[in-house]
Amino acid sequence: MLNEKPMGEPAIFANIQLLRLLAALSVVLFHLSAYYPAGIGESVSITLSHYLGFFGVDVFFLISGFVMAKTTQSLSEYSDSIRFIVKRFYRIYISYWPFALTFFLILAIFEQQEGRSLLGSLILIGVDFQSLSLPIAWTLQFELLFYFGVFVFTFLPKRWMKFALIGVGVVVAAAQAYAILLLNFYSMERFAEYPMSFLYFVSLFWFQFLAGFALFFFVSRVSLQGATIAVSVLVGTIYFAMSSQSAGELLYSGSNIPERVLVGGVLAFSLLSFALYLEKVGFTVNHKLAAVCGDLSYAVYLGHLPVLFLLFYFMPNMGFYASLLITVTLTLVVSWLFHKLFEGPLLSRFDYTYNQVAKHFSKGCKA
């Protein structure tokens, strides 16, 4: 079991909570920019939003790996592992379902739900992303698979963990080699031939999760030199990403190009490393503000697409900066209300509900 806590890390990673919200807002920028054809007014801002906004997804995956490594350190019994996986799935679905249902209804009202599967959207597992009512839920499919993988790891003896993580890395690398060299999987003419379920098991996004997971164990070793290197890599990655994408060498459209995933992973790793270094040396976001950022980030990530759809349906000719201001404001308000009135209360009752269900289940087994 994972039960050894590394020494020297902060009790609360407040900077990561701010980074989560910034990552969610960057995804909002990415989807907002998609409503504006290239070459029209405010093109520089639109280009920045378009090319860099998608990297928020990579930041989420790195943070997810980091948080899972931290969370599993407190697990000491097999029952803790069961509680862990139930709570993670509960956390994903309890906030996702209302937004998925809302957006499906909106699409149905405006007769744009063709090809969307309501049942597939609700269960997520085993469904191609084209069938999802909320398109960004493809990232949640990766999250669920990663959570299940971590859940399996928690049953391994501590001495096996390093080898298990290395083994997963080798499997992903071998799958990439097979997909690239033998299947020509990432060519645009071949990519559509394979189901998304195949992509989930060969994607380099697994390396991003593993990188975040590994980073947790080196938090106490983050030095000024390491932070300087992280900033340098960050600046270089941004330049490379901008120049490469503007030249058409990298695609921003998800996980189908290994170079994009690697560039995004380096960018996210640099950001996360530097945020952790700042926290280590005392430059920390106010904990109350950090808590608010953490509370809003998931709802912002899920809730901005319905806001964007309705905004541009009724006001299709709005300028970029005006739509940016309205979209961000409305999304933050909706996210705050959602968390305050629905998500927060349900999450706070998880422990009580889980204990009651576990107690009844235990009694039923004994009977």
Side-chain angles (χ1 to χ4, degrees):
M1 299 291 292
L2 294 173
N3 53 18
E4 186 175 314
K5 184 178 181 180
M7 299 298 293
E9 83 275 6
I12 299 176
F13 294 99
N15 289 353
I16 290 183
Q17 302 306 317
L18 174 61
L19 192 58
R20 287 176 60 195
L21 180 59
L22 293 177
L25 290 174
S26 74
V27 176
V28 175
L29 286 175
F30 172 76
H31 288 131
L32 172 63
S33 68
Y35 282 88
Y36 291 89
I40 66 172
E42 302 125 342
S43 59
V44 174
S45 298
I46 296 171
T47 300
L48 285 171
S49 301
H50 196 58
Y51 288 150
L52 295 181
F54 191 90
F55 290 127
V57 170
D58 305 298
V59 174
F60 272 126
F61 285 158
L62 261 292
I63 290 177
S64 181
F66 183 90
V67 171
M68 288 304 96
K70 182 178 187 297
T71 302
T72 53
Q73 296 311 292
S74 61
L75 306 183
S76 58
E77 303 290 341
Y78 292 143
S79 59
D80 294 335
S81 296
I82 301 296
R83 187 188 193 92
F84 159 78
I85 191 63
V86 172
K87 188 169 186 176
R88 298 318 304 178
F89 273 54
Y90 179 85
R91 177 71 179 91
I92 287 285
Y93 282 109
I94 203 66
S95 301
Y96 165 70
W97 279 335
F99 286 111
L101 283 169
T102 299
F103 200 40
F104 185 87
L105 290 175
I106 290 174
L107 293 175
I109 291 172
F110 294 99
E111 299 182 349
Q112 297 190 29
Q113 87 284 13
E114 184 177 355
R116 314 282 184 176
S117 168
L118 178 57
L119 180 60
S121 297
L122 294 179
I123 63 176
L124 283 176
I125 300 172
V127 182
D128 287 350
F129 79 94
Q130 295 95 336
S131 301
L132 298 171
S133 63
L134 204 60
I136 55 173
W138 69 266
T139 59
L140 303 185
Q141 295 174 313
F142 273 106
E143 292 276 355
L144 292 171
L145 284 172
F146 179 64
Y147 291 161
F148 185 77
V150 172
F151 167 68
V152 173
F153 281 175
T154 61
F155 289 96
L156 297 175
K158 183 73 167 78
R159 63 183 180 276
W160 293 1
M161 276 298 303
K162 178 170 64 175
F163 301 105
L165 291 172
I166 293 174
V168 172
V170 170
V171 169
V172 174
Q176 284 296 311
Y178 175 73
I180 294 171
L181 299 177
L182 298 181
L183 298 182
N184 194 23
F185 178 68
Y186 293 101
S187 63
M188 297 309 293
E189 65 271 13
R190 295 294 302 279
F191 182 73
E193 298 178 8
Y194 296 94
M196 287 299 295
S197 56
F198 177 75
L199 173 61
Y200 293 136
F201 290 100
V202 302
S203 175
L204 279 170
F205 279 132
W206 285 99
F207 278 135
Q208 295 186 356
F209 283 120
L210 292 174
F213 201 91
L215 181 60
F216 173 76
F217 297 99
F218 294 95
V219 167
S220 61
R221 303 180 186 180
V222 174
S223 62
L224 178 59
Q225 292 81 8
T228 302
I229 293 173
V231 173
S232 301
V233 172
L234 171 60
V235 174
T237 301
I238 291 176
Y239 174 79
F240 175 69
M242 288 292 296
S243 60
S244 297
Q245 288 204 10
S246 61
E249 296 172 9
L250 299 180
L251 297 182
Y252 52 81
S253 57
S255 51
N256 54 328
I257 300 297
E259 294 89 340
R260 199 223 62 78
V261 180
L262 289 173
V263 168
V266 173
L267 172 64
F269 190 87
S270 302
L271 280 171
L272 186 55
S273 299
F274 190 59
L276 292 169
Y277 169 75
L278 290 178
E279 186 143 353
K280 179 178 172 60
V281 298
F283 289 93
T284 306
V285 177
N286 177 275
H287 284 191
K288 290 184 177 180
L289 175 61
V292 173
C293 291
D295 290 342
L296 294 181
S297 59
Y298 189 35
V300 167
Y301 184 72
L302 295 173
H304 72 277
L305 283 182
V307 172
L308 277 172
F309 179 87
L310 292 174
L311 179 66
F312 280 91
Y313 186 87
F314 291 106
M315 292 181 287
N317 299 317
M318 184 178 298
F320 179 76
Y321 293 123
S323 63
L324 173 61
L325 177 62
I326 294 174
T327 299
V328 171
T329 301
L330 287 177
T331 300
L332 288 174
V333 170
V334 169
S335 300
W336 183 82
L337 290 173
F338 176 78
H339 178 79
K340 202 73 174 176
L341 301 177
F342 182 81
E343 182 184 45
L346 286 179
L347 291 176
S348 65
R349 287 185 59 84
F350 171 80
D351 289 334
Y352 173 80
T353 303
Y354 181 88
N355 290 335
Q356 292 299 311
V357 172
K359 185 184 298 183
H360 286 298
F361 181 79
S362 178
K363 287 181 180 180
C365 290
K366 292 179 180 178

